Amino acid sequence: MPNAKLQYTPMTGSAPDEPAERKLLPEPLQSIMEAVEPLYGVDETLAFGIVHVYGMIVLTSFDYLDKQKLGVIRDLNDHEREIHVFLGDLAAGLAAAASAAIAHRNKTVST
């Protein structure tokens, strides 16, 4: 059921960000979250769950958004007081999935 995945994944994925902001995670996880360690990868793994609902082409869109950190994704990633390790990637996954859903519905677009 794609709608449930699109709801539950961000709810679950953003949960670790809150205790990280309050410095309540055990080490070394707390330090990894604070540093937004690029090799951590668990945040991307959760976002892939959203991305794969709409097929592999969405993975390209997600990767682009994750690397470029555009708009809200950049705001989440660069927030000075809050930790959004998961939320930024989940937002990128949702944006990529939403663009794919729109493209799948619009059959009149030609390439």
Side-chain angles (χ1 to χ4, degrees), residues 23-92:
K23 301 190 181 300
L24 296 174
L25 294 177
E27 288 296 342
L29 188 55
Q30 181 67 42
S31 295
I32 291 168
M33 296 283 284
E34 288 176 6
V36 192
E37 174 62 48
L39 296 177
Y40 180 55
V42 177
D43 46 338
E44 281 89 2
T45 302
L46 277 176
F48 290 158
I50 295 169
V51 169
H52 288 293
V53 169
Y54 291 102
M56 288 302 294
I57 192 65
V58 182
L59 187 55
T60 303
S61 296
F62 169 75
D63 189 51
Y64 174 79
L65 293 170
D66 184 42
K67 299 285 186 275
Q68 296 300 312
K69 308 278 191 238
L70 305 171
V72 172
I73 299 163
R74 177 179 298 152
D75 294 343
L76 291 169
N77 191 67
D78 294 346
H79 201 284
E80 292 181 17
R81 294 182 313 263
E82 297 174 1
I83 295 173
H84 296 130
V85 171
F86 284 85
L87 200 53
D89 287 313
L90 294 168

Side-chain angles (χ1 to χ4, degrees), residues 1-15:
M1 178 179 206
N3 290 339
K5 185 176 280 190
L6 294 179
Q7 276 183 315
Y8 297 149
T9 303
M11 288 172 25
T12 302
S14 63

